[in-house]
Amino acid sequence: MKPELPKDVRELIYQAINHPGKRSDAIRAVEAHIDYLYSQGRFADCEDYITDERQQLLREVAAISSEKKRASFSFVVKTLGPLLIAGIVQLATHFPNA
């Protein structure tokens, strides 16, 4: 029986690729390679390929997640940092020295 693209690998592709067209192309390419390996009688290679794709996608999703966290932190620092400093300066200049 021909192995199918596991659901978790499909979900990882959805997480790794935002563009719907490219996502569909990636799923078709993985399925086509699995079909090719199966048609050549390389059944063990099918499972190895699926495992390798899963690992690669997990690395890509982790990298994307890390980039999003960094971008979010950078936004907060660039936006709220100056506002906080301006607020402190205004408070300091508002109250006269005694």
Side-chain angles (χ1 to χ4, degrees):
M1 181 175 186
K2 182 183 92 160
E4 301 227 353
L5 184 63
K7 207 172 204 175
D8 67 322
V9 174
R10 187 179 297 268
E11 289 173 6
L12 286 170
I13 290 172
Y14 273 83
Q15 291 176 13
I17 303 172
N18 287 333
H19 190 274
K22 291 180 181 179
R23 183 184 307 142
S24 298
D25 291 344
I27 290 172
R28 278 194 297 265
V30 171
E31 289 175 338
H33 192 68
I34 292 170
D35 289 344
Y36 168 76
L37 292 173
Y38 184 78
S39 69
Q40 297 295 314
R42 298 165 56 189
F43 308 116
D45 289 344
C46 287
E47 293 302 320
D48 291 342
Y49 176 70
I50 291 171
T51 302
D52 291 344
E53 281 297 309
R54 182 181 289 118
Q55 294 303 318
Q56 177 63 28
L57 287 166
L58 284 170
R59 285 191 293 272
E60 288 180 26
V61 168
I64 290 168
S65 176
S66 177
E67 289 174 14
K68 285 182 180 177
K69 287 178 185 175
R70 248 181 278 142
S72 176
F73 178 74
S74 176
F75 173 77
V76 168
V77 169
K78 288 179 182 178
T79 306
L80 296 181
L83 289 175
L84 181 61
I85 292 172
I88 291 171
V89 168
Q90 283 183 347
L91 283 173
T93 58
H94 180 69
F95 295 110
N97 291 337

